Amino acid sequence: MRKLWGGHFDEPTDVLIERLNNSLVFDSRLWREDIRGSIAHATMLGSTGIIEVGESQTLVAGLAKLEADLSEGTVTLPEDAEDVHTAVEVLLRDRLGAVAGKLHTARSRNDQIATDIRLYLRGVCEVVDRELALMQEALLVHAETEFETVLPGFTHLQHAQPVVLSHHLLAYFWMLDRDRERLNDTRRRLNRLPLGAGALAGTGFPIDREQVCIALGFDAVIPNSLDAVSDRDFAIDFISFAAITMVHLSRLAEEIILWNTPEFGWITLHDSVTTGSSIMPQKKNPDVAELARGKTGRVFGDLMSLLTLMKGLPLAYNKDMQEDKEPLFDSVDTLLLVIPAMRKTVATAKFRADRMLAATRGDFSTATDLADYLVQQGLPFRDAHTVVGKVVQHCTERRIGLEDLDESTLATFSPLLERDTKAALAVLTVQSCVAARTSQGGTAPNSVRAQYQLAKARLESSAPQ
Ligand code: ARG
């Protein structure tokens, strides 16, 4: 195995230990960031006079060429390198000879890896943000046409009060909006430069960290070298964001799964996002939603891994921290699979307005409205609640819904209902029920239209560049 050390070792490393120690199998994905950091470092080594300007130029040109060749695939990382830093340096030495050995002046793999991961994650934040914005857009496209589609709203998974479908879909829009805020926050905090911290204590070479900071597009230099090499908060921040985002996607997935059952029948999923059964010819399974729900568990696991990894570490760098990458990459990969898959599922879904409306029949979800009506007639809410309770009991015993009551029966429950029974009956339709909820953020179609405009403006103003 090729290493960047070994001068004071007489015996080779045990083969098993080499396997344990090796990180190239997973950190190879950081090669672009590693080269980028090295170019900024090599440039600074030249401009500060730590190495000759000519040497610095040779290093920078060599690194840039290596970047291009790796991108094109004309060269690949040597598989027998200990880690990505070794792999890049070995390739550079093959091409440039001895001068390549000057690149690591005033630098350690400890500040190098911290820089690489931050650069990588910064790019990931942009891609993930774009995916979330697209998912929000898919929700808005449906929301725009479902202001009048009434369905039962639930509490305790019991029919509670009717709502309109746009309202329901917009709830997920706002969850994702908060996720994007969290992502933004994560990105802001991670965009600080560790390079220049050395192994842990800084360096005696006259480095210029500000120059490197600007070259790499970081917002600030991390002020404490011990903190710079040993902090992984930014990775924890990211996976926390990922875990909460997965909670939201998983809740949406759960609703899609429920709505897709024959008992609900509120949604029809497109063939391209469902799968069949090898034995039951009639099956069309909502696998995307199930996998989104299932994969949420692994992201929680990633978060727990990283928290547990860091909790007992003394300052500064410890090799334990090499274990930060797999959970982090796993969360990134999971998000970038699940968000677009869920977006496609939502974008191609058809909602069954007829079935939703039918589900409100006989579900007593307008009972609160009858109580509110009695309140408007002067009855205290508690008493109104009791009167309507009796009406519900009456209907339940006769196996009818509130909407099936006739005027003369309804009138018997209270003198206040007798006064204008027609008006009382009118509040019992789900349409009048949703139309009445005109409060800001409420489910009246016009309130939801206003909310939709707010969401649309929010998405436009937060559009990823
Ligand atoms: N592969 C290491 C990691 O991921 C890079 C830093 C190694 N530093 C060291 N002193 N061995 O953390």
mmCIF file with all atom_site columns, all heavy atoms in Angstrom, residues 1 21 29 35 41 52 98 114 131 141 149 220 262 326 331 334 349-350 368 371 392 401:
data_model
loop_
_atom_site.group_PDB
_atom_site.id
_atom_site.type_symbol
_atom_site.label_atom_id
_atom_site.label_alt_id
_atom_site.label_comp_id
_atom_site.label_asym_id
_atom_site.label_entity_id
_atom_site.label_seq_id
_atom_site.pdbx_PDB_ins_code
_atom_site.Cartn_x
_atom_site.Cartn_y
_atom_site.Cartn_z
_atom_site.occupancy
_atom_site.B_iso_or_equiv
_atom_site.pdbx_formal_charge
_atom_site.auth_seq_id
_atom_site.auth_comp_id
_atom_site.auth_asym_id
_atom_site.auth_atom_id
_atom_site.pdbx_PDB_model_num
ATOM 1   N N   . MET A 1 1   ? 0.838   -1.204 0.000   1.00 0.00 ? 1   MET A N   1
ATOM 2   C CA  . MET A 1 1   ? 0.000   0.000  0.000   1.00 0.00 ? 1   MET A CA  1
ATOM 3   C C   . MET A 1 1   ? 0.870   1.251  0.000   1.00 0.00 ? 1   MET A C   1
ATOM 4   O O   . MET A 1 1   ? 1.827   1.351  0.762   1.00 0.00 ? 1   MET A O   1
ATOM 5   C CB  . MET A 1 1   ? -0.909  -0.025 1.236   1.00 0.00 ? 1   MET A CB  1
ATOM 6   C CG  . MET A 1 1   ? -1.725  1.202  1.384   1.00 0.00 ? 1   MET A CG  1
ATOM 7   S SD  . MET A 1 1   ? -3.524  1.058  1.344   1.00 0.00 ? 1   MET A SD  1
ATOM 8   C CE  . MET A 1 1   ? -3.928  -0.572 0.859   1.00 0.00 ? 1   MET A CE  1
ATOM 9   N N   . ASN A 1 21  ? -7.195  0.505  8.013   1.00 0.00 ? 21  ASN A N   1
ATOM 10  C CA  . ASN A 1 21  ? -6.771  1.892  7.944   1.00 0.00 ? 21  ASN A CA  1
ATOM 11  C C   . ASN A 1 21  ? -7.196  2.592  6.657   1.00 0.00 ? 21  ASN A C   1
ATOM 12  O O   . ASN A 1 21  ? -7.351  3.808  6.625   1.00 0.00 ? 21  ASN A O   1
ATOM 13  C CB  . ASN A 1 21  ? -5.241  1.906  8.044   1.00 0.00 ? 21  ASN A CB  1
ATOM 14  C CG  . ASN A 1 21  ? -4.711  3.233  8.520   1.00 0.00 ? 21  ASN A CG  1
ATOM 15  O OD1 . ASN A 1 21  ? -5.361  3.908  9.313   1.00 0.00 ? 21  ASN A OD1 1
ATOM 16  N ND2 . ASN A 1 21  ? -3.545  3.613  8.038   1.00 0.00 ? 21  ASN A ND2 1
ATOM 17  N N   . ARG A 1 29  ? -14.187 9.851  -3.408  1.00 0.00 ? 29  ARG A N   1
ATOM 18  C CA  . ARG A 1 29  ? -15.122 10.802 -4.033  1.00 0.00 ? 29  ARG A CA  1
ATOM 19  C C   . ARG A 1 29  ? -14.737 12.258 -3.760  1.00 0.00 ? 29  ARG A C   1
ATOM 20  O O   . ARG A 1 29  ? -15.325 13.173 -4.327  1.00 0.00 ? 29  ARG A O   1
ATOM 21  C CB  . ARG A 1 29  ? -16.571 10.517 -3.645  1.00 0.00 ? 29  ARG A CB  1
ATOM 22  C CG  . ARG A 1 29  ? -17.012 10.978 -2.304  1.00 0.00 ? 29  ARG A CG  1
ATOM 23  C CD  . ARG A 1 29  ? -18.541 11.086 -2.237  1.00 0.00 ? 29  ARG A CD  1
ATOM 24  N NE  . ARG A 1 29  ? -19.226 9.813  -2.037  1.00 0.00 ? 29  ARG A NE  1
ATOM 25  C CZ  . ARG A 1 29  ? -20.546 9.662  -2.013  1.00 0.00 ? 29  ARG A CZ  1
ATOM 26  N NH1 . ARG A 1 29  ? -21.318 10.718 -2.197  1.00 0.00 ? 29  ARG A NH1 1
ATOM 27  N NH2 . ARG A 1 29  ? -21.089 8.491  -1.797  1.00 0.00 ? 29  ARG A NH2 1
ATOM 28  N N   . ILE A 1 35  ? -7.928  18.277 -4.837  1.00 0.00 ? 35  ILE A N   1
ATOM 29  C CA  . ILE A 1 35  ? -7.071  18.975 -5.801  1.00 0.00 ? 35  ILE A CA  1
ATOM 30  C C   . ILE A 1 35  ? -7.318  20.485 -5.726  1.00 0.00 ? 35  ILE A C   1
ATOM 31  O O   . ILE A 1 35  ? -6.381  21.283 -5.735  1.00 0.00 ? 35  ILE A O   1
ATOM 32  C CB  . ILE A 1 35  ? -7.309  18.442 -7.233  1.00 0.00 ? 35  ILE A CB  1
ATOM 33  C CG1 . ILE A 1 35  ? -6.805  17.001 -7.325  1.00 0.00 ? 35  ILE A CG1 1
ATOM 34  C CG2 . ILE A 1 35  ? -6.630  19.336 -8.267  1.00 0.00 ? 35  ILE A CG2 1
ATOM 35  C CD1 . ILE A 1 35  ? -7.009  16.337 -8.676  1.00 0.00 ? 35  ILE A CD1 1
ATOM 36  N N   . HIS A 1 41  ? -3.549  26.023 -1.984  1.00 0.00 ? 41  HIS A N   1
ATOM 37  C CA  . HIS A 1 41  ? -2.414  25.938 -1.053  1.00 0.00 ? 41  HIS A CA  1
ATOM 38  C C   . HIS A 1 41  ? -1.090  26.178 -1.788  1.00 0.00 ? 41  HIS A C   1
ATOM 39  O O   . HIS A 1 41  ? -0.255  26.972 -1.339  1.00 0.00 ? 41  HIS A O   1
ATOM 40  C CB  . HIS A 1 41  ? -2.426  24.563 -0.373  1.00 0.00 ? 41  HIS A CB  1
ATOM 41  C CG  . HIS A 1 41  ? -1.354  24.384 0.657   1.00 0.00 ? 41  HIS A CG  1
ATOM 42  N ND1 . HIS A 1 41  ? -1.347  25.067 1.856   1.00 0.00 ? 41  HIS A ND1 1
ATOM 43  C CD2 . HIS A 1 41  ? -0.248  23.593 0.671   1.00 0.00 ? 41  HIS A CD2 1
ATOM 44  C CE1 . HIS A 1 41  ? -0.278  24.711 2.559   1.00 0.00 ? 41  HIS A CE1 1
ATOM 45  N NE2 . HIS A 1 41  ? 0.403   23.813 1.861   1.00 0.00 ? 41  HIS A NE2 1
ATOM 46  N N   . GLU A 1 52  ? 9.602   28.425 -4.167  1.00 0.00 ? 52  GLU A N   1
ATOM 47  C CA  . GLU A 1 52  ? 9.876   29.291 -5.328  1.00 0.00 ? 52  GLU A CA  1
ATOM 48  C C   . GLU A 1 52  ? 8.583   29.480 -6.137  1.00 0.00 ? 52  GLU A C   1
ATOM 49  O O   . GLU A 1 52  ? 7.779   28.543 -6.246  1.00 0.00 ? 52  GLU A O   1
ATOM 50  C CB  . GLU A 1 52  ? 10.892  28.616 -6.264  1.00 0.00 ? 52  GLU A CB  1
ATOM 51  C CG  . GLU A 1 52  ? 12.228  28.271 -5.630  1.00 0.00 ? 52  GLU A CG  1
ATOM 52  C CD  . GLU A 1 52  ? 13.119  29.502 -5.486  1.00 0.00 ? 52  GLU A CD  1
ATOM 53  O OE1 . GLU A 1 52  ? 13.041  30.360 -6.388  1.00 0.00 ? 52  GLU A OE1 1
ATOM 54  O OE2 . GLU A 1 52  ? 13.851  29.596 -4.476  1.00 0.00 ? 52  GLU A OE2 1
ATOM 55  N N   . ALA A 1 98  ? 10.294  15.137 -8.046  1.00 0.00 ? 98  ALA A N   1
ATOM 56  C CA  . ALA A 1 98  ? 10.574  15.545 -6.670  1.00 0.00 ? 98  ALA A CA  1
ATOM 57  C C   . ALA A 1 98  ? 9.821   16.793 -6.208  1.00 0.00 ? 98  ALA A C   1
ATOM 58  O O   . ALA A 1 98  ? 9.446   16.903 -5.033  1.00 0.00 ? 98  ALA A O   1
ATOM 59  C CB  . ALA A 1 98  ? 12.074  15.750 -6.490  1.00 0.00 ? 98  ALA A CB  1
ATOM 60  N N   . ALA A 1 114 ? -10.390 18.148 6.527   1.00 0.00 ? 114 ALA A N   1
ATOM 61  C CA  . ALA A 1 114 ? -11.478 19.017 7.016   1.00 0.00 ? 114 ALA A CA  1
ATOM 62  C C   . ALA A 1 114 ? -11.886 19.998 5.921   1.00 0.00 ? 114 ALA A C   1
ATOM 63  O O   . ALA A 1 114 ? -13.072 20.296 5.739   1.00 0.00 ? 114 ALA A O   1
ATOM 64  C CB  . ALA A 1 114 ? -11.033 19.762 8.271   1.00 0.00 ? 114 ALA A CB  1
ATOM 65  N N   . GLU A 1 131 ? -32.963 20.369 -5.613  1.00 0.00 ? 131 GLU A N   1
ATOM 66  C CA  . GLU A 1 131 ? -33.919 19.254 -5.612  1.00 0.00 ? 131 GLU A CA  1
ATOM 67  C C   . GLU A 1 131 ? -35.135 19.571 -4.746  1.00 0.00 ? 131 GLU A C   1
ATOM 68  O O   . GLU A 1 131 ? -36.268 19.247 -5.105  1.00 0.00 ? 131 GLU A O   1
ATOM 69  C CB  . GLU A 1 131 ? -33.244 17.969 -5.103  1.00 0.00 ? 131 GLU A CB  1
ATOM 70  C CG  . GLU A 1 131 ? -32.281 17.335 -6.096  1.00 0.00 ? 131 GLU A CG  1
ATOM 71  C CD  . GLU A 1 131 ? -32.944 16.917 -7.412  1.00 0.00 ? 131 GLU A CD  1
ATOM 72  O OE1 . GLU A 1 131 ? -34.173 16.725 -7.440  1.00 0.00 ? 131 GLU A OE1 1
ATOM 73  O OE2 . GLU A 1 131 ? -32.234 16.811 -8.425  1.00 0.00 ? 131 GLU A OE2 1
ATOM 74  N N   . VAL A 1 141 ? -47.752 22.859 -8.292  1.00 0.00 ? 141 VAL A N   1
ATOM 75  C CA  . VAL A 1 141 ? -48.477 22.595 -9.540  1.00 0.00 ? 141 VAL A CA  1
ATOM 76  C C   . VAL A 1 141 ? -49.821 21.927 -9.234  1.00 0.00 ? 141 VAL A C   1
ATOM 77  O O   . VAL A 1 141 ? -50.852 22.311 -9.789  1.00 0.00 ? 141 VAL A O   1
ATOM 78  C CB  . VAL A 1 141 ? -47.625 21.719 -10.495 1.00 0.00 ? 141 VAL A CB  1
ATOM 79  C CG1 . VAL A 1 141 ? -48.478 21.187 -11.642 1.00 0.00 ? 141 VAL A CG1 1
ATOM 80  C CG2 . VAL A 1 141 ? -46.452 22.525 -11.037 1.00 0.00 ? 141 VAL A CG2 1
ATOM 81  N N   . THR A 1 149 ? -61.277 21.177 -4.141  1.00 0.00 ? 149 THR A N   1
ATOM 82  C CA  . THR A 1 149 ? -61.386 19.732 -3.914  1.00 0.00 ? 149 THR A CA  1
ATOM 83  C C   . THR A 1 149 ? -61.462 19.452 -2.415  1.00 0.00 ? 149 THR A C   1
ATOM 84  O O   . THR A 1 149 ? -60.492 19.675 -1.692  1.00 0.00 ? 149 THR A O   1
ATOM 85  C CB  . THR A 1 149 ? -60.155 19.008 -4.514  1.00 0.00 ? 149 THR A CB  1
ATOM 86  O OG1 . THR A 1 149 ? -60.033 19.410 -5.869  1.00 0.00 ? 149 THR A OG1 1
ATOM 87  C CG2 . THR A 1 149 ? -60.294 17.504 -4.402  1.00 0.00 ? 149 THR A CG2 1
ATOM 88  N N   . ALA A 1 220 ? -14.811 32.829 5.933   1.00 0.00 ? 220 ALA A N   1
ATOM 89  C CA  . ALA A 1 220 ? -13.897 33.258 6.994   1.00 0.00 ? 220 ALA A CA  1
ATOM 90  C C   . ALA A 1 220 ? -12.915 32.142 7.310   1.00 0.00 ? 220 ALA A C   1
ATOM 91  O O   . ALA A 1 220 ? -13.148 30.973 6.993   1.00 0.00 ? 220 ALA A O   1
ATOM 92  C CB  . ALA A 1 220 ? -14.689 33.610 8.262   1.00 0.00 ? 220 ALA A CB  1
ATOM 93  N N   . PRO A 1 262 ? -57.064 0.614  -1.697  1.00 0.00 ? 262 PRO A N   1
ATOM 94  C CA  . PRO A 1 262 ? -58.434 0.612  -2.227  1.00 0.00 ? 262 PRO A CA  1
ATOM 95  C C   . PRO A 1 262 ? -59.425 1.221  -1.230  1.00 0.00 ? 262 PRO A C   1
ATOM 96  O O   . PRO A 1 262 ? -60.421 1.818  -1.632  1.00 0.00 ? 262 PRO A O   1
ATOM 97  C CB  . PRO A 1 262 ? -58.738 -0.869 -2.468  1.00 0.00 ? 262 PRO A CB  1
ATOM 98  C CG  . PRO A 1 262 ? -57.585 -1.646 -1.960  1.00 0.00 ? 262 PRO A CG  1
ATOM 99  C CD  . PRO A 1 262 ? -56.469 -0.723 -1.652  1.00 0.00 ? 262 PRO A CD  1
ATOM 100 N N   . GLU A 1 326 ? -18.516 7.827  5.751   1.00 0.00 ? 326 GLU A N   1
ATOM 101 C CA  . GLU A 1 326 ? -19.533 6.913  5.239   1.00 0.00 ? 326 GLU A CA  1
ATOM 102 C C   . GLU A 1 326 ? -20.969 7.310  5.639   1.00 0.00 ? 326 GLU A C   1
ATOM 103 O O   . GLU A 1 326 ? -21.848 7.343  4.776   1.00 0.00 ? 326 GLU A O   1
ATOM 104 C CB  . GLU A 1 326 ? -19.198 5.469  5.598   1.00 0.00 ? 326 GLU A CB  1
ATOM 105 C CG  . GLU A 1 326 ? -18.082 4.940  4.694   1.00 0.00 ? 326 GLU A CG  1
ATOM 106 C CD  . GLU A 1 326 ? -17.516 3.630  5.170   1.00 0.00 ? 326 GLU A CD  1
ATOM 107 O OE1 . GLU A 1 326 ? -16.884 3.626  6.242   1.00 0.00 ? 326 GLU A OE1 1
ATOM 108 O OE2 . GLU A 1 326 ? -17.709 2.611  4.477   1.00 0.00 ? 326 GLU A OE2 1
ATOM 109 N N   . SER A 1 331 ? -25.996 9.680  3.793   1.00 0.00 ? 331 SER A N   1
ATOM 110 C CA  . SER A 1 331 ? -27.122 10.616 3.902   1.00 0.00 ? 331 SER A CA  1
ATOM 111 C C   . SER A 1 331 ? -27.271 11.435 2.624   1.00 0.00 ? 331 SER A C   1
ATOM 112 O O   . SER A 1 331 ? -28.385 11.655 2.145   1.00 0.00 ? 331 SER A O   1
ATOM 113 C CB  . SER A 1 331 ? -26.929 11.566 5.079   1.00 0.00 ? 331 SER A CB  1
ATOM 114 O OG  . SER A 1 331 ? -27.186 10.890 6.276   1.00 0.00 ? 331 SER A OG  1
ATOM 115 N N   . THR A 1 334 ? -28.660 9.165  -0.089  1.00 0.00 ? 334 THR A N   1
ATOM 116 C CA  . THR A 1 334 ? -30.067 8.829  0.169   1.00 0.00 ? 334 THR A CA  1
ATOM 117 C C   . THR A 1 334 ? -30.971 10.001 -0.203  1.00 0.00 ? 334 THR A C   1
ATOM 118 O O   . THR A 1 334 ? -31.975 9.829  -0.893  1.00 0.00 ? 334 THR A O   1
ATOM 119 C CB  . THR A 1 334 ? -30.258 8.438  1.650   1.00 0.00 ? 334 THR A CB  1
ATOM 120 O OG1 . THR A 1 334 ? -29.361 7.359  1.947   1.00 0.00 ? 334 THR A OG1 1
ATOM 121 C CG2 . THR A 1 334 ? -31.675 7.978  1.923   1.00 0.00 ? 334 THR A CG2 1
ATOM 122 N N   . ALA A 1 349 ? -48.812 11.928 -10.045 1.00 0.00 ? 349 ALA A N   1
ATOM 123 C CA  . ALA A 1 349 ? -49.991 11.373 -9.367  1.00 0.00 ? 349 ALA A CA  1
ATOM 124 C C   . ALA A 1 349 ? -51.269 12.052 -9.845  1.00 0.00 ? 349 ALA A C   1
ATOM 125 O O   . ALA A 1 349 ? -51.263 13.226 -10.223 1.00 0.00 ? 349 ALA A O   1
ATOM 126 C CB  . ALA A 1 349 ? -49.842 11.537 -7.860  1.00 0.00 ? 349 ALA A CB  1
ATOM 127 N N   . LYS A 1 350 ? -52.358 11.281 -9.823  1.00 0.00 ? 350 LYS A N   1
ATOM 128 C CA  . LYS A 1 350 ? -53.674 11.868 -10.114 1.00 0.00 ? 350 LYS A CA  1
ATOM 129 C C   . LYS A 1 350 ? -54.498 11.766 -8.834  1.00 0.00 ? 350 LYS A C   1
ATOM 130 O O   . LYS A 1 350 ? -54.530 10.710 -8.193  1.00 0.00 ? 350 LYS A O   1
ATOM 131 C CB  . LYS A 1 350 ? -54.385 11.068 -11.215 1.00 0.00 ? 350 LYS A CB  1
ATOM 132 C CG  . LYS A 1 350 ? -53.668 11.088 -12.549 1.00 0.00 ? 350 LYS A CG  1
ATOM 133 C CD  . LYS A 1 350 ? -54.456 11.937 -13.564 1.00 0.00 ? 350 LYS A CD  1
ATOM 134 C CE  . LYS A 1 350 ? -53.756 12.026 -14.911 1.00 0.00 ? 350 LYS A CE  1
ATOM 135 N NZ  . LYS A 1 350 ? -52.428 12.670 -14.858 1.00 0.00 ? 350 LYS A NZ  1
ATOM 136 N N   . THR A 1 368 ? -68.843 20.438 13.990  1.00 0.00 ? 368 THR A N   1
ATOM 137 C CA  . THR A 1 368 ? -68.367 21.673 14.633  1.00 0.00 ? 368 THR A CA  1
ATOM 138 C C   . THR A 1 368 ? -69.104 22.882 14.066  1.00 0.00 ? 368 THR A C   1
ATOM 139 O O   . THR A 1 368 ? -69.384 23.849 14.785  1.00 0.00 ? 368 THR A O   1
ATOM 140 C CB  . THR A 1 368 ? -66.854 21.869 14.392  1.00 0.00 ? 368 THR A CB  1
ATOM 141 O OG1 . THR A 1 368 ? -66.202 20.623 14.587  1.00 0.00 ? 368 THR A OG1 1
ATOM 142 C CG2 . THR A 1 368 ? -66.265 22.889 15.346  1.00 0.00 ? 368 THR A CG2 1
ATOM 143 N N   . ALA A 1 371 ? -72.368 23.363 15.674  1.00 0.00 ? 371 ALA A N   1
ATOM 144 C CA  . ALA A 1 371 ? -72.159 23.964 16.999  1.00 0.00 ? 371 ALA A CA  1
ATOM 145 C C   . ALA A 1 371 ? -71.858 25.460 16.858  1.00 0.00 ? 371 ALA A C   1
ATOM 146 O O   . ALA A 1 371 ? -72.413 26.294 17.581  1.00 0.00 ? 371 ALA A O   1
ATOM 147 C CB  . ALA A 1 371 ? -71.023 23.243 17.721  1.00 0.00 ? 371 ALA A CB  1
ATOM 148 N N   . VAL A 1 392 ? -75.623 14.013 16.784  1.00 0.00 ? 392 VAL A N   1
ATOM 149 C CA  . VAL A 1 392 ? -74.723 12.985 16.243  1.00 0.00 ? 392 VAL A CA  1
ATOM 150 C C   . VAL A 1 392 ? -75.156 11.606 16.729  1.00 0.00 ? 392 VAL A C   1
ATOM 151 O O   . VAL A 1 392 ? -75.224 10.641 15.950  1.00 0.00 ? 392 VAL A O   1
ATOM 152 C CB  . VAL A 1 392 ? -73.254 13.277 16.647  1.00 0.00 ? 392 VAL A CB  1
ATOM 153 C CG1 . VAL A 1 392 ? -72.347 12.084 16.332  1.00 0.00 ? 392 VAL A CG1 1
ATOM 154 C CG2 . VAL A 1 392 ? -72.751 14.530 15.946  1.00 0.00 ? 392 VAL A CG2 1
ATOM 155 N N   . GLY A 1 401 ? -76.000 10.110 8.035   1.00 0.00 ? 401 GLY A N   1
ATOM 156 C CA  . GLY A 1 401 ? -75.051 11.192 8.246   1.00 0.00 ? 401 GLY A CA  1
ATOM 157 C C   . GLY A 1 401 ? -75.776 12.474 8.586   1.00 0.00 ? 401 GLY A C   1
ATOM 158 O O   . GLY A 1 401 ? -77.002 12.565 8.437   1.00 0.00 ? 401 GLY A O   1
#
